[in-house]
Amino acid sequence: MELVVFSLLNGIVFGLLLFMMSAGLTLIFSMMGVLNFAHASFYMLGAYFAFQISQAVGFWPALVLAPLVVGVAGGLVERYGLRRVHKHGHVPELLFTFGLAFLIQEFVVLGWGRVGVPYRVPEILNFPLFTLFGTNFPAYRAFMVLISIGMFVALFAILTRTRVGLIVQASLTHPHIAATLGHNVPRVFMYVFAGGTALAGLAGVIGGNAFVTNPSMAALLGTIVFVVVIVGGLGSLTGAFIAAMVIGIVQTFSVALDVSVGSFFGLLGLDLSSNSIFYEYWTLTLTDIAPVTPYLLLVLILIFRPMGLMGKRET
Amino acid sequence: MLEIKDLHAYYGKSHILQGVDLRVGNGEIVSLLGRNGVGRSTTIKAIIGDVPPEGSIRFKGEEIVGLKAHEIAHLGIGYVPENRDIFPGLTVRQNLLLGMKGTKQQGRWTMDNMFEMFPLLAERADTEGGVISGGEQQMLTICRTLMGDPDLIMIDEPTEGLAPMLVEQVSELLAEIATRGVSVLLVEQKLTIALKISQRVYVMGHGRIVFEGTPEELRANDQIRKEWLEV
């Protein structure tokens, strides 16, 4: 019971963090038509900038400033990089973001070193919020949930309730028509890119200290975020939300459950001893398989529902 | 209002427009006629900047070749695309709001105007654009562009595939647009409508203008009609 409650809670926290990143990525995908390989790198930048800023002026200013700085960096990348590459088609765009990911990676290594930085949860939030079945639930996790939910409500309100949101929606699906109606579509795209990367930056600010802040954090989370976006359906915010929560919860559960593959067969009355074929596989526990589950889901989705859960076009 | 000289445009390597000359005066309705594929749609796409133009296009005396589509729209040229290209996921009202260039209602047209002229759109104001009928979508695309208060509106095949009653409504709307002092450049296939409402007509063939004159002159010219218009 304790396991279920805590895995669920942690799964939700992780899922919300995944969604915060995939929301930006899926919007940027709708706009460019290709996945932005460097998206998770902006998550990493968010964490490192937050670390640096919180060293100087503390966590709270960093919470606001770091995503802004990341967003401005993202906007500049779109304006002076992607927009020029865009003319030459999708493949150069893809290669550009691929190169950018390595560039940011090296920038981080040069600036802060190969090992992680001690980016910590702020003292004021470093206490157990409640204790259930003898296990503590950190207050910072609850804070992450609050920030994430506040973020989504704001994003949703902007996209559906404001004129700017309408222009963004129209420009993403029908850029040519939006332009002939007098909307500056390239500028809208720059803001979308800046906004999406700022969201990834915010995820970095609140995720970097809850998990780790090191140069491999981008690669670690990046692939899972791709899976979320593809499983949810490219371009669909609702799909990304569902996929993020499912993957977040499934992954947390499989890490927590200590059950081996063989024990399933044991339940079926099969005895798999050390001399049976593929013995190594039967002794794998769910924990061992956990990192693979998102990719398994990705493969299954691409086979059975190529447009993703809520997507409108084939991936 | 609009003065085009020696306009060329290309799709990839195909030379679609091969020197088009065309003029639309203040408050005038001008039709651009011709068979499919002769470059009528490309001509208006080149004017709005959706297809890169070469040559000279002057609007209210200002050269607009090289400007971006949104800049041209802000100068006062409205474009109604063919195929009833609305924003399908947004409501009728949101589609109309997106026609406006700023946040304030201004100029010749208001949303209430649109709803008075087309009560069907008013009934469907909060319905998604993608699920209303083809005729309603056609009205919506024209109204959406009018919300931006253009001084010249270019309309691509507004009556294509519409029921006769709706065709009548479209031609009434075009006349109404002209009475409010807006110039109209109409791309049409249906000769009857074009000849009825236009002051002047152009006929296009193979990327060039092959005839220019009044509707009466075109009616009298059997040879042009046979060679370039009749199927």
Side-chain angles (χ1 to χ4, degrees):
Chain A
M1 190 61 206
E2 171 197 338
L3 195 72
V4 172
V5 172
F6 275 88
S7 295
L8 197 63
L9 286 174
N10 287 329
I12 290 172
V13 173
F14 186 49
L16 285 171
L17 194 74
L18 282 181
F19 178 60
M20 196 182 292
M21 295 190 58
S22 35
L25 184 58
T26 212
L27 283 179
I28 292 172
F29 169 80
S30 311
M31 158 187 123
M32 299 203 305
V34 291
L35 281 175
N36 169 20
F37 270 106
H39 197 70
S41 308
F42 290 99
Y43 160 78
M44 177 161 70
L45 280 184
Y48 273 94
F49 287 164
F51 166 71
Q52 204 62 56
I53 296 170
S54 58
Q55 293 280 345
V57 284
F59 175 77
W60 301 105
L63 180 65
V64 179
L65 286 176
L68 285 180
V69 176
V70 174
V72 169
L76 291 174
V77 163
E78 199 284 337
R79 177 68 186 80
Y80 295 102
L82 268 174
R83 197 181 294 183
R84 291 172 189 213
V85 180
H86 180 76
K87 292 186 206 115
H88 307 296
H90 284 340
V91 175
E93 265 179 309
L94 207 62
L95 291 174
F96 177 87
T97 65
F98 204 67
L100 184 67
F102 283 107
L103 208 65
I104 295 178
Q105 173 92 17
E106 288 310 309
F107 169 76
V108 164
V109 169
L110 286 175
W112 289 278
R114 254 173 223 294
V115 286
V117 291
Y119 176 35
R120 298 262 179 268
V121 170
E123 276 312 311
I124 191 167
L125 288 169
N126 198 5
F127 64 94
L129 186 66
F130 58 83
T131 308
L132 206 63
F133 314 111
T135 309
N136 291 333
F137 187 77
Y140 191 70
R141 298 267 156 119
F143 171 73
M144 287 168 74
V145 171
L146 276 183
I147 291 281
S148 312
I149 292 177
M151 194 59 249
F152 309 145
V153 172
L155 180 67
F156 188 76
I158 290 173
L159 278 179
T160 59
R161 298 272 179 273
T162 68
R163 182 176 160 80
V164 173
L166 283 184
I167 296 173
V168 168
Q169 287 191 58
S171 304
L172 289 183
T173 54
H174 299 76
H176 285 268
I177 302 175
T180 60
L181 291 173
H183 304 301
N184 188 343
V185 174
R187 197 170 65 196
V188 172
F189 281 3
M190 186 181 78
Y191 288 145
V192 169
F193 202 90
T197 49
L199 276 186
L202 180 63
V205 176
I206 63 172
N209 51 6
F211 305 114
V212 287
T213 301
N214 63 31
S216 62
M217 66 191 286
L220 212 65
L221 207 58
T223 39
I224 300 180
V225 173
F226 284 138
V227 174
V228 167
V229 167
I230 291 167
V231 169
L234 288 166
S236 162
L237 277 177
T238 325
F241 181 74
I242 296 170
M245 296 315 280
V246 167
I247 290 176
I249 291 171
V250 165
Q251 232 196 345
T252 322
F253 262 95
S254 34
V255 169
L257 293 175
D258 186 23
V259 191
S260 76
V261 179
S263 62
F264 283 114
F265 290 98
L267 287 176
L268 296 173
L270 291 170
D271 179 35
L272 297 159
S273 52
S274 57
N275 50 11
S276 49
I277 191 164
F278 296 136
Y279 177 70
E280 290 80 3
Y281 287 101
W282 309 136
T283 52
L284 285 178
T285 59
L286 264 185
T287 314
D288 298 321
I289 304 174
V292 189
T293 46
Y295 308 106
L296 186 67
L297 195 59
L298 171 72
V299 171
L300 291 176
I301 278 281
L302 286 176
I303 292 173
F304 294 107
R305 203 177 153 77
M307 74 291 278
L309 293 175
M310 313 281 283
K312 292 193 179 76
R313 56 181 140 181
E314 308 251 315
T315 44
Chain B
M1 177 70 50
L2 182 75
E3 184 127 26
I4 299 175
K5 284 205 181 101
D6 198 30
L7 177 66
H8 293 258
Y10 301 81
Y11 272 128
K13 281 185 180 158
S14 353
H15 194 174
I16 306 290
L17 300 184
Q18 310 180 355
V20 171
D21 294 302
L22 189 147
R23 192 176 56 78
V24 181
N26 281 336
E28 203 179 20
I29 302 186
V30 173
S31 287
L32 190 52
L33 304 169
R35 296 201 183 100
N36 277 329
V38 295
R40 298 167 305 157
S41 294
T42 308
T43 304
I44 56 178
K45 279 186 185 156
I47 297 170
I48 193 72
D50 201 20
V51 171
E54 286 172 22
S56 164
I57 305 173
R58 299 186 83 83
F59 179 65
K60 297 183 200 163
E62 189 179 339
E63 184 61 60
I64 60 169
V65 165
L67 294 186
K68 299 201 174 67
H70 67 93
E71 294 166 336
I72 295 170
H74 274 277
L75 290 177
I77 299 187
Y79 167 63
V80 182
E82 58 186 336
N83 307 324
R84 299 156 196 157
D85 254 328
I86 45 143
F87 303 119
L90 303 180
T91 66
V92 167
R93 192 190 306 278
Q94 289 173 327
N95 267 277
L96 289 174
L97 284 173
L98 279 169
M100 289 158 54
K101 291 179 186 117
T103 44
K104 275 197 206 115
Q105 200 92 303
Q106 52 199 350
R108 306 175 180 88
W109 312 87
T110 65
M111 192 162 313
D112 291 338
N113 277 169
M114 303 299 166
F115 287 154
E116 277 160 30
M117 284 190 292
F118 301 104
L120 278 175
L121 287 185
E123 272 172 41
R124 305 225 163 204
D126 296 311
T127 309
E128 278 188 13
V131 299
I132 63 177
S133 75
E136 288 161 354
Q137 289 180 348
Q138 184 60 61
M139 301 306 168
L140 181 56
T141 47
I142 301 177
C143 292
R144 183 181 62 186
T145 303
L146 287 175
M147 291 294 285
D149 194 28
D151 298 319
L152 164 71
I153 187 167
M154 307 188 294
I155 311 180
D156 201 350
E157 300 265 19
T159 64
E160 200 189 0
L162 287 192
M165 209 180 75
L166 288 169
V167 172
E168 192 49 43
Q169 257 192 314
V170 170
S171 58
E172 279 167 21
L173 174 61
L174 295 179
E176 168 72 24
I177 292 172
T179 58
R180 298 205 188 189
V182 180
S183 309
V184 180
L185 177 57
L186 177 68
V187 163
E188 245 314 333
Q189 202 131 33
K190 290 193 179 63
L191 271 190
T192 42
I193 304 205
L195 295 183
K196 194 173 82 186
I197 63 173
S198 318
Q199 274 100 53
R200 284 186 309 113
V201 297
Y202 288 91
V203 178
M204 266 188 101
H206 303 322
R208 286 193 183 86
I209 299 291
V210 293
F211 173 86
E212 178 190 348
T214 63
E216 291 71 37
E217 286 164 348
L218 182 60
R219 270 200 204 93
N221 194 331
D222 280 347
Q223 196 221 328
I224 285 286
R225 287 215 318 273
K226 276 213 179 74
E227 191 177 349
W228 298 107
L229 292 172
E230 281 155 21
V231 190

